[in-house]
Amino acid sequence: MLRPPTPPGDFRPAPSPARSARVTDAVRRGYDAYTRRARAWTAGYQERGGRVSCGAGCFACCNMPVRVSLAEALVTAQALTQEEAARVEAHARRVIGNARTAPDDDVYVERHRREVGFCPLLDRGTGGCSRYDVRPTRCRDTFSALPARYCEAGALEQMTRRERETYRREVARTPGTDGELHFIAPLEHLSEPIWAAAAKAMRAEWGLEAWGDFWVLTTLARDGAFMSCVEGGDTRGAWRAARAVGLAHPTVLELG
């Protein structure tokens, strides 16, 4: 079981969005380009008989861990209301609790899905993302070529040997997969320029890169002390600022 979440930290007011505009603009351009390319690819894929099982109201994957750049997290953070930001912070603290106690990556992922739970920006009533326009790359490029039941927590692990063999055969003959899992690989590959643009922009503007958990970084992106250090290229200071508010752990925050 997860330990109780760390109490909220003493956050300083978030910095002006203008100070990181070049970084967030690079991400937004990447999102726009990805949308155009993904739509064109998907249209051709479906014309050739390919299937995309994802659609409005499906949220089977919305309890997965999500890795992002700080550049992406800033785009989301700047769009949140105070109430949404509070929900994201509470989720981030559950993520930290899991990171501190999970003995390995497999347990970390499993507990994230089962105990940390669904993204606080998910509208469980409609099955839609309440901040769809500013969702991160991983939420944009994850598509399933098979029914959503295969995306649910524990679905693959709970299969019998016969079910697993059937699954592998189905994946192997389904266009668009990598032959191992049911996710549509080309749509993931099309998003790689977003990650590259984010890395380049962070390095150019800040002299460092920051990567990690979506909810942790989205929370830190609203913290003035953390962002002041990041914008000044102070890696050690940024880590200390994250630690001061209880959101520093190597599993969910990478600075360098």
Side-chain angles (χ1 to χ4, degrees):
M1 296 296 292
L2 302 182
R3 294 176 181 172
T6 305
D10 182 17
F11 284 80
R12 297 183 188 179
S16 168
R19 294 190 62 181
S20 297
R22 291 185 182 178
V23 173
T24 54
D25 285 350
V27 170
R28 290 189 173 95
R29 288 193 298 271
Y31 287 166
D32 290 343
Y34 176 77
T35 298
R36 293 192 300 272
R37 293 167 184 161
R39 283 176 177 169
W41 185 91
T42 301
Y45 174 69
Q46 292 175 322
E47 288 173 0
R48 297 189 298 271
R51 294 175 296 172
V52 178
S53 295
C54 309
C58 177
F59 55 90
C61 67
C62 294
N63 55 4
M64 290 182 177
V66 177
R67 186 174 186 269
V68 300
S69 63
L70 177 57
E72 295 172 81
L74 272 167
V75 171
T76 304
Q78 290 169 2
L80 299 182
T81 65
Q82 291 292 351
E83 192 274 335
E84 289 169 334
R87 295 205 311 268
V88 168
E89 182 187 343
H91 196 82
R93 295 191 181 284
R94 290 194 292 274
V95 169
I96 284 287
N98 184 26
R100 288 172 176 164
T101 58
D104 55 49
D105 289 344
D106 289 341
V107 172
Y108 173 80
V109 173
E110 178 187 2
R111 292 200 318 205
H112 190 287
R113 300 203 70 184
R114 296 187 181 279
E115 298 182 32
V116 176
F118 287 96
C119 176
L121 299 178
L122 170 68
D123 184 335
R124 296 289 293 273
T126 65
C129 176
S130 62
R131 287 296 176 181
Y132 188 78
D133 290 345
V134 292
R135 69 199 189 284
T137 301
R138 192 86 298 167
C139 299
R140 293 169 187 265
D141 70 3
T142 300
F143 291 89
S144 175
L146 297 183
R149 66 178 181 273
Y150 292 111
C151 301
E152 295 174 355
L156 304 185
E157 293 80 2
Q158 293 168 9
M159 288 181 182
T160 64
R161 177 181 292 182
R162 179 173 296 179
E163 289 171 335
R164 189 175 294 277
E165 291 173 351
T166 299
Y167 169 81
R168 287 173 176 165
R169 287 196 298 271
E170 183 70 12
V171 168
R173 63 171 176 253
T174 299
T177 72
D178 63 0
E180 298 291 332
L181 295 173
H182 59 283
F183 298 108
I184 301 176
L187 289 173
E188 293 186 355
H189 297 326
L190 281 176
S191 71
E192 291 172 2
I194 305 175
W195 295 67
K200 182 178 180 180
M202 288 188 291
R203 185 64 61 181
E205 293 300 311
W206 303 333
L208 59 81
E209 295 179 34
W211 299 82
D213 174 78
F214 171 54
W215 301 278
V216 169
L217 280 179
T218 300
T219 300
L220 288 172
R222 294 172 59 89
D223 179 57
F226 176 79
M227 286 305 304
S228 178
C229 291
V230 166
E231 291 167 347
D234 183 358
T235 302
R236 292 183 179 180
W239 183 267
R240 288 194 297 268
R243 186 173 58 192
V245 293
L247 292 176
H249 191 279
T251 300
V252 297
L253 178 61
E254 304 165 30
L255 298 165

